[in-house]
Amino acid sequence: MASLQLCDGYLLVKPSVSPRFLSQRISHRLIPKASSASPPPSSSSLSFTRRELLYQSAAVTLSLSSIPVKEAKADEQLSEWERVFLPIDPGVVLLDIAFVPDDPSRGFLLGTRQTLLETKDGGNTWAPRSIPSAEEEDFNYRFNSISFKGKQGWIIGKPAILLYTGDAGENWDRIPLSSQLPGDMVFIKATGEESAEMVTDEGAIYVTSNKGYNWKAAIQETVSATLNRTVSSGISGASYYTGTFSAVNRSPDGRYVAVSSRGNFFLTWEPGQPYWQPHNRAVARRIQNMGWRADGGLWLLVRGGGLYLSKGTGITEDFEEVPVQSRGFGILDVGYRSEEEAWAAGGSGILLRTRNGGKSWNRDKAADNIAANLYAVKFLDDKKGFVLGNDGVLLRYVG
């Protein structure tokens, strides 16, 4: 806006612009005061004055508005994730997500406090889903893992509960479990027609081929039995081991990697092996989590924010550290979208991306303003991905 001031019979117009713009044009514009004693200015003079003022105003408007517009566009382009708000209680920790292969728009989301949500539009919106057979008792289940093969799906939780569906989640049946099951169920994988593979936090692996009514052990003993039997294994911290797994991950070809609850060593298992194979950690800090890269190698996270990649593919104890901008927050999980692109998530909304197979990582600002820890990165294919966190935080990949 311009300010008006009376000065010796003239109206003094002062454009409210910065000195930089005033120096480019005249600093004051005198317009004769309209009165009977003063001759009216010519139309050409008024026209010229108005043009000058309009020019000044337009120049100021453009210069002041151009910068924030560009910044807004830049912010929009920084992130490839959007937050999906969920109808759940505050404090819920999201733990796993899966979609029905025969109906990709339909999926289920699991978490603590007996949280089970369903989507029918590919993950844009979610609604609470109840399962009567899981509500007959006064337990507040923690649903840990879900997996689908075709229209057949499985859910496991703690206290021990096993649910099965043969119709893409329309109906869920509760399957009875033995009270002698060693440890708590932490992972399940649908493997075929009425078939699944299940892992407990004590290292027991079971397979079923009849909807879970009978299970067969795929391994001869639990991890604690193996380690306590082989005291001379040379694994640091393995003697008199009584702990459990803090994390377990399965590769597409059926190999497992697990981290001991103390983080002082890790274990691997391949189909056909009778026991878990313990491995010394090759890093100074304790292990936070481990998993499989898209090329078949391993990634390893340590407490405090370090990220390591194994040299080559397959199972090895040879790792090298990769520099990451974690801002001092711990990284909790890594998910691969392709062999070259992967995302890492962790404490205080930290989100990182690599586009060169993990050699370098850049921070994404998608969750900078979200006060939550991000626990899991799940890519179902190269176009559908999710990040799961506490306090019901869910991020959806939008590319």
Side-chain angles (χ1 to χ4, degrees):
M1 291 290 295
S3 61
L4 302 179
Q5 203 172 19
L6 185 62
C7 181
D8 297 330
Y10 287 86
L11 284 176
L12 182 62
V13 181
K14 295 182 178 180
S16 56
V17 296
S18 65
R20 179 169 62 89
F21 290 105
L22 291 176
S23 64
Q24 295 174 357
R25 313 297 283 176
I26 56 176
S27 60
H28 299 99
R29 174 65 62 185
L30 295 177
I31 303 178
K33 179 182 177 183
S35 66
S36 58
S38 303
S42 66
S43 60
S44 61
S45 173
L46 282 174
S47 175
F48 176 78
T49 300
R50 292 186 183 121
R51 283 199 302 270
E52 291 289 337
L53 291 175
L54 288 173
Y55 179 85
Q56 286 275 30
S57 177
V60 173
T61 301
L62 287 173
S63 64
L64 295 178
S65 63
S66 61
I67 295 176
V69 167
K70 291 179 181 178
E71 289 181 350
K73 289 182 178 179
D75 288 341
E76 291 172 3
Q77 294 172 354
L78 282 175
S79 176
E80 298 188 33
W81 300 85
E82 68 175 9
R83 183 172 180 181
V84 180
F85 290 90
L86 304 173
I88 55 179
D89 296 332
V92 169
V93 179
L94 301 177
L95 297 174
D96 203 5
I97 189 172
F99 281 75
V100 181
D102 290 1
D103 185 3
S105 62
R106 187 172 197 173
F108 294 86
L109 182 62
L110 309 181
T112 58
R113 302 185 186 179
Q114 205 155 316
T115 298
L116 179 60
L117 302 175
E118 182 179 11
T119 181
K120 295 183 179 180
D121 59 9
N124 295 321
T125 59
W126 297 81
R129 174 67 187 273
S130 63
I131 299 178
S133 60
E135 298 174 351
E136 296 172 353
E137 303 171 11
D138 294 330
F139 292 123
N140 191 1
Y141 290 102
R142 170 192 176 103
F143 292 131
N144 288 323
S145 182
I146 182 171
S147 181
F148 275 93
K149 182 79 170 182
K151 293 184 178 180
Q152 301 185 44
W154 307 79
I155 292 176
I156 57 171
K158 178 185 178 181
I161 185 172
L162 174 64
L163 303 172
Y164 169 81
T165 180
D167 54 11
E170 285 291 339
N171 301 282
W172 292 88
D173 299 322
R174 184 168 180 175
I175 309 299
L177 289 167
S178 170
S179 59
Q180 304 300 316
L181 190 70
D184 296 317
M185 296 178 293
V186 293
F187 179 83
I188 194 162
K189 174 68 176 180
T191 56
E193 184 73 20
E194 299 184 351
S195 301
E197 195 170 86
M198 179 178 65
V199 183
T200 74
D201 62 358
E202 291 188 9
I205 302 176
Y206 295 96
V207 294
T208 183
S209 58
N210 61 355
K211 296 195 298 186
Y213 288 102
N214 298 105
W215 294 87
K216 179 182 178 182
I219 203 165
Q220 293 185 13
E221 58 189 11
T222 62
V223 170
S224 59
T226 298
L227 295 178
N228 292 331
R229 178 175 52 79
T230 59
V231 175
S232 60
S233 62
I235 302 301
S236 176
S239 299
Y240 307 106
Y241 175 81
T242 58
T244 56
F245 291 160
S246 64
V248 57
N249 281 295
R250 185 183 190 273
S251 70
D253 59 1
R255 294 176 296 167
Y256 283 92
V257 61
V259 179
S260 71
S261 56
R262 297 179 182 177
N264 51 352
F265 62 94
F266 69 97
L267 308 101
T268 58
W269 180 81
E270 299 183 49
Q273 291 182 336
Y275 313 109
W276 284 89
Q277 307 298 311
H279 304 269
N280 279 310
R281 72 179 192 270
V283 296
R285 285 178 288 174
R286 293 181 182 268
I287 304 171
Q288 177 72 46
N289 195 5
M290 292 183 69
W292 302 92
R293 304 196 305 261
D295 64 1
L298 289 166
W299 54 260
L300 183 152
L301 304 175
V302 297
R303 298 174 186 179
L307 189 155
Y308 293 76
L309 300 178
S310 65
K311 296 180 180 179
T313 59
I315 297 172
T316 179
E317 296 180 10
D318 194 5
F319 288 80
E320 58 183 356
E321 186 172 10
V322 177
V324 292
Q325 304 171 13
S326 64
R327 299 183 297 164
F329 297 104
I331 304 175
L332 303 176
D333 195 28
V334 177
Y336 276 76
R337 181 170 172 258
S338 66
E339 285 197 13
E340 295 300 317
E341 182 178 340
W343 293 80
S348 192
I350 189 71
L351 198 58
L352 307 167
R353 175 172 64 178
T354 179
R355 289 178 172 175
N356 54 15
K359 297 181 180 66
S360 61
W361 297 76
N362 295 312
R363 185 167 64 90
D364 186 283
K365 298 183 178 180
D368 276 8
N369 297 322
I370 299 177
N373 295 327
L374 306 178
Y375 289 109
V377 183
K378 305 282 186 179
F379 274 99
L380 307 164
D381 55 45
D382 62 349
K383 296 181 179 178
K384 185 178 293 184
F386 296 88
V387 176
L388 286 59
N390 66 337
D391 285 333
V393 169
L394 177 69
L395 303 180
R396 186 174 72 92
Y397 181 76
V398 293

